Amino acid sequence: MRKYLLMGVSLFLLSLIFLNASALTASQLGANYTESSIGTKFVTAIAYSDEYQGIGPCPPYYGYWPNTIISANENIYLPNSFTYYPSVTGTDQIIVGVGIGSNGVYMPTYPAWNLNDLPNETIYARFMFTVKPDNSYSVSYIAFGTGPNLSYINIINGNVPKGSISWLYVQEYYNQGKQTLTITWIVHYTNNSQFTYTTILSYVVYSWSALSFVATNSIGTNEFNQLPFVNGGSVSFWFSYLSNGQIYGGPGTPASGTSIYAEVYSLSKTSYANSMLSNVTSASGVTGSWSYTFSFSENGQTTYGL
């Protein structure tokens, strides 16, 4: 099933080729500006924030500040051509989802707060796919918080009912007045039925960035594991934010007087259990709806999908 065309290429050299060959421009990502791509050991992601120049909330100094993110949303489409199979080391799980974080992407006013890694305080909502020996897969939903101010967030998880899945939807919705985050998972089946689960969490930190990500099952832990191969499927992501009392959608054209900043994270750092590389290889869309294709590369074989 696998064709090892580049067995002699070292993982280090392959990672350099992989990163440099797939750099995306700001316009391709639906942003005005991009920060440098960052390599990680467990996640491939795109983070966004909409920022303005003016008086900020904490402390009220003049500078660059992010607007409040209201929601992060993602559709995950699984056509009949979608296939999913373990990597060389047998990894059989992949996580796809969204996050809302407490850091802005740019924020030069306080550079220690910006995204030089994934946000320090983030709530992730995700679906986890587990492949079976016959190449079918089961799905579970998961949410958890990371960061010192979110340590009280317990992991929420459950299993999605079995069935032929057409597409999935996950949303995080921030209520600024109540300081709550509502997370909704919806699974649509080919027989037109659906499964829905919703939970409401307290969220006491700033809502300043929205993320779309593909990750290993080790995100948020000290263990680093690689991804499986994925072929087919697609992801459509969008977020909403508040600017001058009005709600706008992104990625794409920003609200007047603001700019959308994007940051790309690539799974490009190897570890004792990670030889799979992953990156965002293409992106396109219209304002308020953006689609991405992710690549999965190991030992000379590369597949493309959600």
Side-chain angles (χ1 to χ4, degrees), residues 42-45 94-97 212-216 227 278 294 296 306:
F42 61 89
V43 66
T44 294
I94 183 172
I95 290 166
V96 184
S212 172
F213 67 89
V214 167
T216 70
L227 294 166
S278 177
F294 300 88
F296 305 85
L306 57 85

Side-chain angles (χ1 to χ4, degrees), residues 27-159:
S27 61
Q28 287 176 306
L29 293 168
N32 299 99
Y33 305 98
T34 57
E35 297 291 283
S36 58
S37 181
I38 294 173
T40 76
K41 290 183 177 180
F42 61 89
V43 66
T44 294
I46 312 97
Y48 292 94
S49 62
D50 180 82
E51 304 190 20
Y52 64 94
Q53 193 170 7
I55 302 298
C58 67
Y61 294 155
Y62 186 87
Y64 287 85
W65 297 93
N67 278 311
T68 297
I69 298 292
I70 300 299
S71 70
N73 315 262
E74 189 156 271
N75 288 331
I76 305 164
Y77 299 99
L78 304 178
N80 292 333
S81 60
F82 176 80
T83 57
Y84 168 42
Y85 51 96
S87 62
V88 171
T89 59
T91 302
D92 62 357
Q93 292 181 322
I94 183 172
I95 290 166
V96 184
V98 299
I100 285 182
S102 63
N103 307 72
V105 169
Y106 182 47
M107 286 186 71
T109 307
Y110 291 96
W113 291 4
N114 71 4
L115 286 165
N116 53 20
D117 204 334
L118 289 179
N120 290 330
E121 295 174 329
T122 304
I123 290 182
Y124 299 94
R126 58 197 190 158
F127 286 105
M128 183 170 72
F129 300 84
T130 302
V131 72
K132 298 179 180 179
D134 61 357
N135 282 341
S136 64
Y137 51 87
S138 61
V139 183
S140 57
Y141 58 91
I142 306 170
F144 69 95
T146 61
N149 291 318
L150 297 177
S151 58
Y152 59 87
I153 300 294
N154 294 320
I155 293 177
I156 297 167
N157 60 70
N159 294 320

